[in-house]
DNA sequence: TGACAAACGGAACTCAGGCTCCGTATAGTG
DNA sequence: CACTATACGGAGCCTGAGTTCCGTTTGTCA
């Protein structure tokens, strides 16, 4: 899913935004290092959690800590950068589905997509969607964008009766985040958990 | 709910177990301090999260750090003590419902109970049921007991068709834990989220 | 009440992890 | 090729949190 949106994501240039928004053009090696750091951080955070020492990230990226800190003045900023990127990606994916033929499929498909993403890259998404940490500051706007995009999918899915009428986008995001969280630990395969949650989200026409 | 089980929990003497299992009878003030520490820790952990410095707990308990560490040789051990107590309490609650008249109500009522408990005492339960941290060691046995107790409720609820037949106790625990987690952050009221999850757990006889 | 073991308090130690500083290396330019 | 601004590396500083130590206090028992 989300083919259209892939332009907004992917490995090619995770630092596009920063590079463009920055004033001067950044020396070639600096640009390269920045990218390396982002990729390393993403990978390490994903496999070890946000707790890992910054030194490890620098090492994995093949740069010194000094370099890392020149690009991202704070560990928190580094996390933020990655998170924002990822959230933006999801938002794009959601928007790409906004006028899909089957609103129900679009909605549930998106949820599945999110869970897949988050399962692959443990912690991160979960942390944000659950608003776990303190990135709320800068992330809030982006997060709000995502919520809005989800809201569109949700509204359309409701309109065709694919989703019960009494849920909010926040609740959906919370549940999805929760699913990832549970799956990330042990519990059960994320697909199973999500399946249950999705059934709960559908129009409830069960007897009692 | 769980009135019968209340004997196994409650404020009166959170340190009973340890006091009994210990060899010598513990001097009166020591016993009192131990209790104070446990209560303080429970309260502080609940409101601030497990991250709080040990000093804070000692302060809130009105004892020195030294005293705290004499009773619990490690912060981790302190957490464990609280968690074990709480899990044991939940297990007792679950067992008390094992022969309830209405298995479906018992099962869903229990889930609601867990969410209430966890919402009140943020983080803690969530951390364990999700197996979040590293308490797995000592907690695993108790956790397994809980799982087993939940399994009984689940099996009975399935038997009467109140719950779909393809869920595991682990999945249930994961979902409940995750729901608490999501509710603890922002998302939506825990009751709303749990409601959705529970609908997902019910026999799914919806059309498509 | 006196004596002693048990328990206390909290200053200080240890260690880990975030972050800074500055001497060195190098991309970019004429 | 030389020259300079830009960027790099990583030793080391600093803070904060967990834990220990030891002189003082206190419960307990005769």
């Amino acid at each position: 899913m989300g083919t259209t949106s892939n332009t907004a994501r992917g490995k090619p240039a995770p630092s596009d935004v920063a590079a463009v928004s920055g004033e001067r053009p950044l020396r070639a090696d600096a640009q390269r290092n920045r990218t390396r750091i982002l990729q390393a951080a993403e990978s390490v955070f994903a496999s070890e959690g946000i707790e890992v020492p910054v030194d490890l990230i620098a090492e994995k990226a093949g740069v010194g800590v000094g370099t890392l800190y020149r690009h991202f003045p704070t560990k928190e900023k580094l996390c933020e950068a990655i998170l924002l990127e990822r959230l933006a990606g999801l938002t794009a994916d959601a928007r790409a589905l906004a006028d899909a033929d089957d609103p129900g499929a679009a909605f549930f498909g998106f949820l599945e997509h999110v869970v897949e993403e988050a399962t692959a890259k443990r912690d991160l998404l979960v942390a944000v969607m659950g608003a776990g940490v303190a990135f709320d500051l800068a992330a809030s706007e982006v997060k709000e964008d995502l919520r809005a995009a989800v809201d569109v999918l949700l509204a359309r899915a409701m309109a065709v009766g694919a989703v019960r009428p009494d849920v909010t986008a926040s609740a959906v995001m919370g549940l999805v985040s929760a699913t990832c969280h549970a799956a990330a630990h042990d519990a059960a395969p994320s697909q199973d958990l999500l399946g249950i949650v999705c059934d709960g989200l559908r129009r409830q026409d069960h007897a009692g």
Side-chain angles (χ1 to χ4, degrees), chain A residues 18 34-37 42 46 59 63 68 79 81 90 92 95 98 102 131 135 144 166-167 179 181-182 192 199 205:
Chain A
R34 188 191 160 87
T35 304
R36 277 190 190 160
I37 292 169
E42 191 162 335
E59 190 185 353
V63 305
L68 192 155
C79 295
L90 283 184
R95 284 184 180 144
D102 181 343
F135 312 123
E144 181 49 33
D166 61 343
V167 249
T179 303
H181 181 83
D192 293 358
D199 282 345
D205 41 12

Side-chain angles (χ1 to χ4, degrees), chain A residues 20-179:
Chain A
V20 168
S21 67
E23 295 306 336
R24 272 183 285 77
L26 258 182
R27 226 168 71 177
D29 54 346
Q31 175 67 39
R32 180 165 33 82
N33 279 334
R34 188 191 160 87
T35 304
R36 277 190 190 160
I37 292 169
L38 275 175
Q39 289 177 342
E42 191 162 335
S43 144
V44 174
F45 281 157
S47 62
E48 313 277 336
I50 312 195
E51 302 298 299
V52 290
V54 175
D55 306 34
L56 261 189
I57 297 171
E59 190 185 353
K60 172 120 183 184
V63 305
V65 259
T67 299
L68 192 155
Y69 275 98
R70 199 164 325 98
H71 285 289
F72 305 94
T74 265
K75 188 185 185 183
E76 193 178 334
K77 287 291 183 191
L78 174 57
C79 295
E80 225 178 73
I82 297 176
L83 292 170
L84 292 185
E85 209 174 81
R86 177 145 323 152
L87 284 185
L90 283 184
T91 304
D93 290 340
R95 284 184 180 144
L97 290 168
D99 51 5
D101 291 336
D102 181 343
F107 176 74
F108 290 111
F110 178 71
L111 299 194
E112 200 169 326
H113 171 61
V114 172
V115 169
E116 270 167 17
E117 276 265 309
T119 301
K121 322 257 176 166
R122 194 153 60 104
D123 268 344
L124 278 188
L125 252 183
V126 184
V128 194
M129 294 193 67
V133 212
F135 312 123
D136 312 62
L137 329 161
S140 59
E141 185 188 355
V142 181
K143 192 179 164 188
E144 181 49 33
D145 285 350
L146 176 55
R147 205 199 55 71
V150 170
D151 214 8
V152 172
L153 296 186
L154 177 61
R156 291 190 74 223
M158 276 182 185
V160 298
V163 172
R164 59 201 282 179
D166 61 343
V167 249
T168 65
S170 293
V172 169
M173 287 173 65
L175 282 170
V176 169
S177 153
T179 303

